[in-house]
Every structure is written in C-alpha cells, then in structure tokens.
Amino acid sequence: MATWIQQRNELLGKAVIANLAKRNMEGYYCATKEEALQKALELIPETDVVTWGGSVSIDEIGLLAAVKARNPVIDRDTASTMEEKVEMMRKGLTCDTFLMSTNAMSEDGILVNIDGNGNRLAALIHGPSHVVIVAGMNKVCLDVKSAYNRVKTMAC
C-alpha cells in the first residue's frame, strides 16, 4: 500500500503534468529514480549528442553515467582550461539533447531558474533541439512566489 507521501506525489505529479501541457511542455511522473532514469533514456536517442548543465538531480538518478556510456557527449568537465570549458558550453547550445534540472517550479507549471553563467537558461530557451529536465517533487512549490523563495533560500 502506498504511503500518504507517495499518494500526494502521484496526485501532485498528475496536476503538474497537466499544467506543463498547457505551457506546451511534456511531463512525466516517475515514482522512483530508476523509473526516472528509464524514462529519460527513452527520450534521448542513442545517436544524439548530449550535454548538460550542472545538476545534482541528473547525476543522482544515474543519467550522466548512462549517457556518457552510450551517447556522444560534450563534457565540459573534461576541459583543461577555462577557455576550453567556455567553448564546450557554447558548443552545447547546438547539441541534440541538453539535460538539466530546474531550481524550482510552481504547481501550475512555471519553471524558476537562476543560472550562474547562463548556459542552462540559454539551452532551455534557445539552443538544443531537445531539453530534458529532471526535477524531483521536492522542487514543486505552490506558486511562483514560493518557487522563487525556494531558489533564493535552498537552490542558490
């Protein structure tokens, strides 16, 4: 039998997915990290060149390791100089799939992000053909005001 937290997350997840659809975004609810990894991999063709913004979430579910093992990647962490790292982030804007999380999101499907050097936000709004966002239910907030508060007090 599901716990009340699991039931709450499933119901909230369905509501958030419906609200994301109103904003022309596809959403999927995954109850476990394993399900989230499987769903993310289903969304990324093996031939896609993949890169990512800094994200604990995509690493936590095993997605970074999985795409590094099966996809061509642009991995800025392999850069030997800051200039090379910046160039790799620029190349990332033309990759096939960009992976990221969001700092917070409102229940009605508004993503709230603050980005240190802008590569995640640039990729999210204008760049790669596909963006896959992995976000735990801990990032879902009641409204934009509380999402912004989460970003300022927890994410940044």
Side-chain angles (χ1 to χ4, degrees), residues 98-133:
F98 189 87
L99 307 175
M100 62 177 282
S101 191
T102 188
N103 296 132
M105 67 186 325
S106 63
E107 288 183 14
D108 65 345
I110 296 174
L111 305 176
V112 179
N113 290 286
I114 294 178
D115 195 356
N117 54 34
N119 68 309
R120 286 183 318 134
L121 293 180
L124 177 62
I125 60 175
H126 180 76
S129 303
H130 300 98
V131 177
V132 175
I133 300 170

Side-chain angles (χ1 to χ4, degrees), residues 29-93:
Y29 175 76
C30 301
T32 67
K33 291 178 183 182
E34 295 78 17
E35 288 177 30
L37 173 60
Q38 184 61 39
K39 176 49 77 177
L41 290 173
E42 287 173 16
L43 297 171
I44 306 166
E46 290 184 34
T47 56
D48 272 15
V49 175
V50 179
T51 195
W52 50 88
S55 169
V56 173
S57 299
I58 60 175
D59 195 28
E60 250 182 17
I61 68 166
L63 186 53
L64 287 183
V67 297
K68 285 179 182 181
R70 74 166 210 180
N71 287 78
V73 299
I74 301 170
D75 185 352
R76 68 182 183 182
D77 292 333
T78 63
S80 54
T81 66
M82 183 52 109
E83 291 78 17
E84 185 182 6
K85 184 175 185 174
V86 169
E87 184 57 31
M88 291 174 108
M89 286 191 285
R90 285 189 183 120
K91 281 185 179 177
L93 294 175

